[in-house]
Amino acid sequence: MRSKLPDAASSRKMAASSAVVAILASIWLCSSIAADASGSSSETTMHTNNWAVLVCTSRFWFNYRHMANTLSLYRTVKRLGIPDERIILMLADDMACNSRNKYPAQVFNNENHWLNLYGDNVEVDYRGYEVTVENFLRVLTGRHESAVPRSKRLLSDEGSHILLYMTGHGGDEFLKFQDSEELQSHDLADAVKQMKEKHRFKELLIMVDTCQAATLFNQLHSPGVLAIASSMKGENSYSHHLDSDVGVSVVDRFTFYTLAFFERLNMYDNASLSRLFNSYDPNLLMSNAYYRTDLYQPNLQEVPVTNFFGSVMETVHTDSAYRAFPQKNTPRETRIRTGNTAEDDSRRSILTDMTKAECPFTRIVSSLESKMETVGNLDSLVNYGLVMILPVLVVSVWLST
Amino acid sequence: MAEIAESPSTTEHPLGTVGASRSKASSSALRESDVDPKTMRTTTPGLKRLFLTFSVLLSFLLGFPFLWKTVEIYRSPLPFGDMDALSKQIESSPLQFPCHFQSVFLNFDSRSSGGILDPRELRSSILSEMTKLTSQTLERQCGSCGENFTLSVVVDSGDRACRQSDERHGNGLTPNCSYKCGALGALNLGDGEAVDEALRSALDESCSDYGGKLYTVVVVNGDGAGEGPKALVGKHRHGWISGRELDAEAMIGRMAEMFVKIFMNGGREDGAIHGEFMPVGADGRVVLSFSLLNANPDDWFYDWDFQKLDDTLLNPVIEALKPIANISVESQVLYHTPKSSFSYWDESLGSYIFSTKDLPFFVNSNEWHLDTSVAAGGRTKILQFVVYVPSANECPLSLQLPSGEISKTNGFISPMWGGVMVWNPQSCIKYSGSGPPARLLMHPDDLHRIFEVLMGQLRQLFGLKSDSIYVGAAGAYKLLPSEKGFTEWQEHKVTYCLLLFCRELDVLSRQHTCFNLHSSGTTLGSLSRLVQSLPRMIIKDEIGKQVKFSLEAAQLAQTNASVGLYEASAASSRQARSLAEDAFFHPSIMSVSYFSFEHCFAVYSPFFLPVSLHVLLAALREWRRYKQEKAKYVRWKVKQVKAA
């Protein structure tokens, strides 16, 4: 069963926000800094490491597919060799532990349920309400409070290739975060510019799966940035199919076909980026994938996808040891038997107990949901209040004339 | 609405109760019936209403600066001029350190070498060789001496008669720092280590830390044992060339190469690791994380006495690197950590082989949980050193080089990440007893060998070679290991140039100083641009302080560098960089959390705009009314005058 759920942010929301946006856009405009002196160094530096920032910006159960999108990418980059400590995973909601999830602690991106994306070792760095525009920009620009642990930081350097994947509901030059705030294309461009200024990346691939995703790249000007979007301006990005067991759409089309491409690859493959780009079929996507390559120098046919989606280490053989230390001749003693194996066993059993315990997040999620309802009431209260102000204003104006 | 005129008795209504104004009319020549209330009035218009409305408006206007002050954004004053000046200065003129070289020609009799050696002539020919070498290799390398070096030449003919080039007072060295005539009279050239010590006591003692380092090359003529000239480089700041019947002219090329390639450039190959990759965190700290990985503990599992290793071998290294980085050490032992690349059995070599092609896939990032350091802050660099113990079904495991040889070290590095070394247990015999396998402690000798490789990798990460021979264009140079210095450290805890050679430490200090200053200059420059482009951004006092201290530290580093205090300048440049980074990455600088003027307007206008509009309109209306009334009065006055 195929369905078409667009990832466009609702028009009501857009209208409401556009007034504020008009005012605020100018702020972000001026917050860009001139980065001119950084062009030359990127060519000389060596690619040393890979990072991935994977962001799902949507809350609520019906946005299941966005989390599945992000987790699919997470699985792919991990499989292709980027270690967990170099992946920043941001999930705005926890579908695995949602009370509506028929398969607790499991997330699928296909109705055949072959692949559990929430299987083992999913390390979520920012979850729930931590996924905000501010935190996202802090991750990119590196301006954290000093107490933020290393695992939550993007500690890239001038030799890093970074993959930035974002999915959620978006529109013309914005991406919605958490149904409450927006990331503007100006914000993104500004953050990228600041990263470039501080040599936080060598090459950056931005991949966005949302409606009108191409518009998000309009303000980018920093060299070394490659961008892929699921749809052009005015187009929607649709979901791929509905899982009738889960009850919602489980994956978006663009990400689905991206994964279809990557599932055929392993770490040793050197399929090029242009092969990935050519694999997108507009008829299957129901939108036109968009690539922005004007800021990116290398020829895409020569750049393997593992430059961004995997981690291929640059290695140098150690020619010689440093023999400057005095040898001391001590008698050889070999086997030392220690009796701490029993202790190890007991530790192991404790661990297995822990895995049997129930998912603690279902409880938190249900309490959050009850809170959400009161928040909804508050919202309408504020709306009523605003309507009440109008007659008062009319009366006061009428009295004064 | 009632309008009030100045005198209380004359209450005038616009609707036309003219009869009330009687008192004034009596004095006039006109009769009251002549006064048209629409165009004229007989009394002066009152000022009370005007005064009241304007006083309200005025209070609003007076309150406005107060409001402006309260909503003002706090910006700590930053020295933009100094910041820009620093970044421009570092951008335009790279830092150059003073280096002093000295060459001593020992036992060069004017008779034996056929002709009198003129120190001045020698000096100029060595200098020209050196400039040739620096211009072709160093290409403005950061932290080199550039053209900022001095050279003095001494010819000691053995009979206590020295001739010197007269450069010594111009180079900023104290006279007692340079070579004292006849100090190397009896030099036994047999034992390299002894020569090294003799040279050190003769040369280095008095000028360890003054006005830049003095590098000396001694050419000893005469009783050399070997046939050809032999070149050695000691562990301090000198080298010597010895041989029989040496031709002074022929030595010039080798001498220049020794000065430039080894003393100035640290004997490193250009382009091995790019200079920009400095494995030191932005806060000037490095964590060395040592991990022992047991691929399959069901076969065997090893443990190591890391504490002892740390105390005896690692500490001197950390001490030696202190001016460059603040290093801390941690270690761990991990189990069930298979590698992720493949290996195959090679019958002829008798071991399992993995080739250099597989190296990028060797590190199994999903199973090797190396990054465990909680102590490391956000910008600290972590260098991983991994000792991999293969499992029984891939033991022994060897690295094959592209040439087909088996690697001697069995290890490799990844720049900025760290190093990996495969250590094969003595006998690859699987433990086959009942129950879990025994925990094996690594033998100290094994540990020692592992440590040598790991130190080689650490040096490689810092861009230093570990070979004991450096082959240049003019010949090979034997580099003496500093084994003795190490034992010295163990006995006396003297940290003077031991684990790393003095000359290498000098090179590292110079390069790191240059890199740190460059980095802090660009960071401060972009911070200044950022802050100036955002007039509504809050700048905390903390940022101001960090910028100030960073500038001061950079200044200090520059002055230290110019007088040749390498270690001190490295330390303060590190501080400058760390402070500049702290200021740039201050969490309060976030584009979404500060507000433009438009935002400020949008926030405050609902409070004041509705009322202030009314006040302004009222004031305008009052003013207009007053002018109208005044005109009426004037018209009446005119009419009165005409009538009179």
Side-chain angles (χ1 to χ4, degrees), chain A residues 31 33-34 45 78 81 83 138 141 143 150 155 197-198 314-318 320 322-323 325-326 332 336 338, chain B residues 365 377-378 380 407 409 411 413-414 439 443 448 452 460 467 486 499 523 526 529-530 581 584-585 587 589:
Chain A
S31 66
I33 32 166
T45 51
K78 237 178 124 174
R138 279 191 193 282
T141 53
R143 295 205 171 90
R150 285 177 75 84
L155 297 165
E197 177 94 9
K198 256 334 264 164
E314 201 70 45
T315 55
V316 182
H317 173 242
T318 309
S320 51
Y322 184 61
R323 297 188 202 289
F325 306 104
R332 287 192 85 88
I336 299 163
T338 51
Chain B
S365 38
T380 305
S407 161
T409 55
I413 65 153
S414 178
R439 189 169 71 101
H443 189 266
H448 195 274
E452 282 179 349
Q460 212 177 352
D467 297 331
F486 186 79
L499 257 287
T523 306
S526 46
R529 279 203 297 279
L530 175 73
E581 297 273 328
F584 188 85
F585 285 116
I589 304 177

Side-chain angles (χ1 to χ4, degrees), chain A residues 80-227:
Chain A
L80 294 179
I82 302 185
D84 241 339
E85 69 243 25
R86 289 191 180 157
I87 303 175
I88 313 285
L89 181 60
M90 303 175 100
L91 294 180
D93 206 343
D94 192 356
M95 300 308 168
C97 291
N98 195 304
S99 50
R100 288 201 234 176
N101 193 349
K102 201 182 156 192
Y103 303 92
Q106 292 178 56
V107 174
F108 299 104
N109 68 351
N110 201 321
E111 61 179 341
N112 59 23
H113 293 189
W114 284 342
L115 186 67
N116 175 18
L117 297 171
Y118 218 69
D120 39 17
N121 272 339
V122 176
E123 199 181 281
V124 186
D125 297 299
Y126 289 82
R127 69 165 75 230
Y129 289 116
E130 284 180 333
V131 184
T132 57
V133 173
E134 183 185 330
N135 276 347
F136 173 72
L137 293 177
R138 279 191 193 282
V139 166
L140 290 189
T141 53
R143 295 205 171 90
H144 294 281
E145 299 290 340
S146 53
V148 173
R150 285 177 75 84
S151 61
K152 286 188 163 192
R153 293 173 184 240
L154 180 70
L155 297 165
S156 53
D157 52 45
E158 69 263 70
S160 303
H161 285 188
I162 302 177
L163 167 72
L164 170 59
Y165 174 86
M166 292 187 280
T167 180
H169 290 281
D172 194 359
E173 302 215 9
F174 73 92
L175 175 67
K176 237 169 43 157
F177 268 65
Q178 299 260 11
D179 239 357
S180 63
E181 46 181 355
E182 280 125 16
L183 175 80
Q184 303 280 318
S185 58
H186 292 290
D187 293 346
L188 185 66
D190 178 34
V192 170
K193 211 166 194 174
Q194 293 205 33
M195 288 169 82
K196 189 78 207 168
E197 177 94 9
K198 256 334 264 164
H199 305 296
R200 282 171 67 77
F201 66 85
K202 180 170 181 271
E203 287 170 16
L204 172 68
L205 172 64
I206 308 178
M207 198 173 197
V208 181
D209 187 353
T210 182
C211 288
Q212 313 197 46
T215 56
L216 211 55
F217 308 141
N218 282 356
Q219 312 298 331
L220 289 176
H221 296 297
S222 309
V225 179
L226 185 64

Side-chain angles (χ1 to χ4, degrees), chain A residues 171-399:
Chain A
D172 194 359
E173 302 215 9
F174 73 92
L175 175 67
K176 237 169 43 157
F177 268 65
Q178 299 260 11
D179 239 357
S180 63
E181 46 181 355
E182 280 125 16
L183 175 80
Q184 303 280 318
S185 58
H186 292 290
D187 293 346
L188 185 66
D190 178 34
V192 170
K193 211 166 194 174
Q194 293 205 33
M195 288 169 82
K196 189 78 207 168
E197 177 94 9
K198 256 334 264 164
H199 305 296
R200 282 171 67 77
F201 66 85
K202 180 170 181 271
E203 287 170 16
L204 172 68
L205 172 64
I206 308 178
M207 198 173 197
V208 181
D209 187 353
T210 182
C211 288
Q212 313 197 46
T215 56
L216 211 55
F217 308 141
N218 282 356
Q219 312 298 331
L220 289 176
H221 296 297
S222 309
V225 179
L226 185 64
I228 313 179
S230 61
S231 53
M232 306 286 282
K233 185 174 179 174
E235 287 179 344
N236 287 334
S237 290
Y238 293 105
S239 63
H240 187 261
H241 65 266
L242 182 101
D243 183 337
S244 41
D245 265 1
V246 178
V248 284
S249 299
V250 288
V251 73
D252 278 322
R253 278 167 185 267
F254 177 75
T255 308
F256 183 85
Y257 290 108
T258 308
L259 285 177
F261 177 83
F262 277 111
E263 285 300 310
R264 290 193 295 270
L265 298 181
N266 65 30
M267 229 151 125
Y268 295 89
D269 271 309
N270 47 3
S272 69
L273 274 178
S274 65
R275 243 181 78 191
L276 170 67
F277 289 178
N278 294 332
S279 73
Y280 296 122
D281 181 358
N283 294 324
L284 293 173
L285 290 184
M286 303 179 73
S287 62
N288 290 299
Y290 166 83
Y291 330 109
R292 184 160 175 200
T293 54
D294 55 334
L295 301 169
Y296 190 74
Q297 260 99 38
N299 186 2
L300 292 182
Q301 281 169 345
E302 288 154 15
V303 182
V305 285
T306 46
N307 259 11
F308 290 104
F309 291 88
S311 182
V312 177
M313 275 181 134
E314 201 70 45
T315 55
V316 182
H317 173 242
T318 309
D319 294 318
S320 51
Y322 184 61
R323 297 188 202 289
F325 306 104
Q327 281 271 14
K328 269 186 292 173
N329 290 319
T330 38
R332 287 192 85 88
E333 66 224 70
T334 41
R335 298 207 164 199
I336 299 163
R337 184 126 201 171
T338 51
N340 61 358
T341 43
E343 196 188 309
D344 285 351
D345 282 349
S346 66
R347 219 180 291 153
R348 196 163 296 139
S349 65
I350 291 165
L351 273 174
T352 46
D353 280 352
M354 272 177 71
T355 50
K356 276 178 203 158
E358 79 167 296
C359 187
F361 294 104
T362 39
R363 246 176 300 145
I364 296 169
V365 166
S366 61
S367 70
L368 276 181
E369 268 177 357
S370 64
K371 238 178 222 171
M372 293 289 294
E373 275 167 18
T374 58
V375 170
N377 289 342
L378 257 177
D379 235 17
S380 55
L381 194 73
V382 168
N383 285 338
Y384 284 132
L386 277 173
V387 172
M388 290 287 281
I389 284 172
L390 277 175
V392 172
L393 196 72
V394 168
V395 166
S396 77
V397 167
W398 175 68
L399 275 178

